[in-house]
């Protein structure tokens, strides 16, 4: 799968940026206020792809009022489950190009 340089989420366009300076605990980061998603360029392609879906879900949560700053652990758990499940479904059914 070729990860795009930008995606539209809701009414906004998010930039997708590959970086080599993310901390070791994160494969990616979503910054809704900057309309940016950062992905670690030093991890394998499959991890980049799954991280892309994970961070897009964070952006979707934010754009639709589902992100609750007082419950970040709950959001992370939900996004982790959904991101992994979505990526696995798309990958195993050959729906990624």
């Amino acid at each position: 799968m070729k990860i795009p340089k930008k995606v539209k989420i809701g009414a906004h366009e998010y930039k997708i940026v590959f970086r080599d300076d993310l901390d070791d605990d994160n494969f990616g980061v979503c910054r809704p206020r900057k309309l940016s998603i950062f992905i670690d360029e030093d991890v394998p392609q499959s991890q980049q792809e799954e991280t892309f879906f994970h961070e897009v879900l964070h952006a979707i949560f934010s754009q639709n009022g589902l992100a609750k700053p007082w419950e970040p652990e709950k959001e992370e758990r939900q996004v982790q489950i959904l991101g992994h499940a979505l990526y696995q479904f798309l990958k195993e059914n050959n729906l990624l190009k």
Side-chain angles (χ1 to χ4, degrees), residues 32-87:
R33 293 180 71 187
K34 296 185 181 282
L35 298 176
S36 298
I37 291 174
F38 303 104
I39 299 174
D40 189 334
E41 67 185 13
D42 293 331
V43 298
Q45 179 68 25
S46 62
Q47 186 63 58
Q48 290 177 4
E49 292 169 358
E50 185 173 345
T51 300
F52 170 70
F53 288 114
H54 178 100
E55 300 306 333
V56 164
L57 285 169
H58 276 299
I60 290 170
F61 272 46
S62 177
Q63 293 298 319
N64 290 286
L66 298 171
K68 297 186 171 52
W70 59 90
E71 294 183 315
E73 296 87 11
K74 182 178 179 182
E75 177 187 340
E76 187 60 32
R77 188 173 55 252
Q78 291 170 335
V79 166
Q80 184 67 31
I81 292 166
L82 289 170
H84 178 74
L86 177 61
Y87 178 69

Side-chain angles (χ1 to χ4, degrees), residues 13-45:
E13 192 172 275
Y14 278 70
K15 293 184 304 184
I16 312 301
V17 180
F18 289 88
R19 297 180 56 171
D20 65 358
D21 62 348
L22 299 179
D23 66 61
D24 289 340
D25 293 332
N26 292 307
F27 295 129
V29 177
C30 177
R31 294 285 182 249
R33 293 180 71 187
K34 296 185 181 282
L35 298 176
S36 298
I37 291 174
F38 303 104
I39 299 174
D40 189 334
E41 67 185 13
D42 293 331
V43 298
Q45 179 68 25

